[in-house]
């Protein structure tokens, strides 16, 4: 059994599409621009995306859909042809997103991304020859909402009935700045320097940390991004932002503030408040630099 993940990027831009000319929508039409559609010059619809996906004109936003399928490859070595996934996403989601954005603009009420994903998943499933394990909508690099059917997640919310079709995972990334020093008092200065190098600098040094928080919620008791943000603000930002972790924070009085320990401590601080709001902390991932991060639990 293996998993194949495929990300499909859609550029969402506001313009006046021909297909709304005859409708009664009174706002400027919101149009999902997707060059993956079959066109005379591209009969297979095999758009070759750059890193940004289909190009949006002007200030179009890029949204990503990640599809994860599970199963065994056949004799071709493929679990699923990725162009099948691309076509499925591009046929199902543009009209759903377009309608959701129009409704949001008309009513001022944010659309329910979980509901959009659930209805999209039903349609996608019918188009894919391999079982769908997860489906995630990433609105930006810092916020995503996903559905996950993988059995390993079912233990996160024990009270959830096994008939629940999927867990919804809300993921958001925050950032804080802090100083730290890696040092073990039981070692000599020379041993500390040999072990930690410049991270042992006596007066510390700083990092711009990023922390990604993934929360599983049941469909019947959705927890909002706002609620997660408020908890992260209370438990993480107010404790650690613009602090010296060794000197200002009792959490690191006896343990080294390595990125591993920061991830573990942050998980410990968040798990109970999130549970109190009906969610289940799925994971915490902390980046010390762009190149170094730790996810807990693994
Ligand atoms: Ni450091």
């Amino acid at each position: 059994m293996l998993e194949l993940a495929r990300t499909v990027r859609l550029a969402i831009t506001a313009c006046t599409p021909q297909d709304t000319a005859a409708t009664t929508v009174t706002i400027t039409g919101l149009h999902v621009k997707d060059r993956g559609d079959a066109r005379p010059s591209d009969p297979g619809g095999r758009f070759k995306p750059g890193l940004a996906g289909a190009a949006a004109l002007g200030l179009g936003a890029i949204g990503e859909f990640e599809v994860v399928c599970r199963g065994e490859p056949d004799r071709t070595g493929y679990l699923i042809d990725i162009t099948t996934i691309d076509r499925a996403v591009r046929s199902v989601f543009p009209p759903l997103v377009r309608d959701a954005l129009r409704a949001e603009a008309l009513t001022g009420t944010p659309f329910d991304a979980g509901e959009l994903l659930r209805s999209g998943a039903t349609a996608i499933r019918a188009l894919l020859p391999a079982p769908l394990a997860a489906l995630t909508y990433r609105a930006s690099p810092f916020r995503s909402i996903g559905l996950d059917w993988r059995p390993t997640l079912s233990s996160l919310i024990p009270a959830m009935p096994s008939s629940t079709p999927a867990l919804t995972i809300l993921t958001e990334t925050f950032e804080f700045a802090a100083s730290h020093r890696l040092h073990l008092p039981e070692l000599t200065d020379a041993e500390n320097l040999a072990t930690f190098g410049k991270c042992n600098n006596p007066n510390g040094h700083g990092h711009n940390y990023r922390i990604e928080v993934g929360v599983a919620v049941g469909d019947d008791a959705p927890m909002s991004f706002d609620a997660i943000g408020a908890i992260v603000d209370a438990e993480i930002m107010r404790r650690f932002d613009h602090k010296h972790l060794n000197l200002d924070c009792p959490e690191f009085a006896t343990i080294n503030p390595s990125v591993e320990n920061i991830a573990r401590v942050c998980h410990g601080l968040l798990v109970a408040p999130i549970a109190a709001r009906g969610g289940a902390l799925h994971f915490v991932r902390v980046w010390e630099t762009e190149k170094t991060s730790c996810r807990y639990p693994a």
Side-chain angles (χ1 to χ4, degrees):
M1 181 81 74
L2 51 73
E3 291 184 355
L4 180 78
R6 173 71 170 172
T7 295
V8 183
R9 296 194 176 104
L10 300 177
I12 300 164
T13 188
C15 61
T16 308
Q18 284 104 357
D19 68 346
T20 61
T23 71
T24 57
V25 175
T26 54
I27 56 165
T28 301
L30 291 162
H31 180 52
V32 177
K33 195 173 190 63
D34 175 35
R35 299 210 175 145
D37 290 340
R39 292 170 295 168
S41 61
D42 184 18
R46 291 175 65 104
F47 173 74
K48 302 290 190 298
L51 281 178
L57 297 175
L59 292 175
I62 308 291
E64 290 186 345
F65 288 86
E66 185 188 66
V67 174
V68 178
C69 292
R70 280 164 73 89
E72 288 293 341
D74 64 15
R75 63 184 180 81
T76 64
Y78 283 176
L79 172 64
I80 183 171
D81 185 333
I82 55 171
T83 61
T84 304
I85 299 177
D86 290 359
R87 275 194 294 272
V89 170
R90 286 177 173 145
S91 68
V92 166
F93 280 106
L96 287 177
V97 172
R98 185 188 55 215
D99 291 350
L101 288 174
R102 283 178 185 154
E104 184 172 287
L106 284 169
T107 65
T109 306
F111 70 85
D112 182 342
E115 184 53 40
L116 183 144
L117 276 181
R118 282 189 285 278
S119 57
T122 304
I124 288 266
R125 208 185 280 280
L127 298 172
L128 298 180
L132 186 60
L135 176 66
T136 300
Y137 170 57
R138 200 169 290 117
S140 80
F142 312 106
R143 182 178 280 192
S144 70
I145 181 164
L147 301 179
D148 203 310
W149 292 268
R150 282 172 283 205
T152 47
L153 283 170
S154 60
S155 60
L156 274 176
I157 303 182
M160 205 167 67
S162 57
S163 59
T164 302
L167 279 185
T168 303
I169 311 287
L170 305 182
T171 305
E172 182 151 11
T173 303
F174 307 85
E175 54 193 5
F176 62 94
S179 305
H180 74 163
R181 182 195 189 198
L182 300 183
H183 183 83
L184 290 174
E186 63 267 30
L187 299 183
T188 66
D189 287 352
E191 288 168 334
N192 268 302
L193 188 59
T195 303
F196 300 115
K198 60 186 179 182
C199 294
N200 183 239
N201 182 47
N203 291 322
H205 62 277
H207 292 283
N208 291 319
Y209 291 95
R210 276 192 290 138
I211 175 170
E212 182 182 38
V213 179
V215 176
V217 299
D219 288 348
D220 52 343
M223 188 177 174
S224 68
F225 281 110
D226 282 351
I228 295 172
I231 291 170
V232 170
D233 184 56
E235 301 297 335
I236 306 297
M237 297 302 148
R238 293 186 197 186
R239 271 193 174 84
F240 301 145
D241 189 28
H242 286 65
K243 299 288 176 60
H244 193 304
L245 298 178
N246 307 64
L247 304 178
D248 299 327
C249 305
E251 292 80 6
F252 297 102
T254 59
I255 60 170
N256 247 349
S258 63
V259 70
E260 295 92 330
N261 282 336
I262 293 171
R264 205 189 288 263
V265 164
C266 288
H267 182 277
L269 291 168
L270 292 171
V271 68
I274 286 173
R277 295 291 299 268
L281 184 57
H282 180 20
F283 70 91
V284 163
R285 183 175 176 185
V286 175
W287 283 261
E288 187 172 84
T289 69
E290 285 298 319
K291 292 185 285 192
T292 307
S293 69
C294 176
R295 175 175 162 132
Y296 180 81

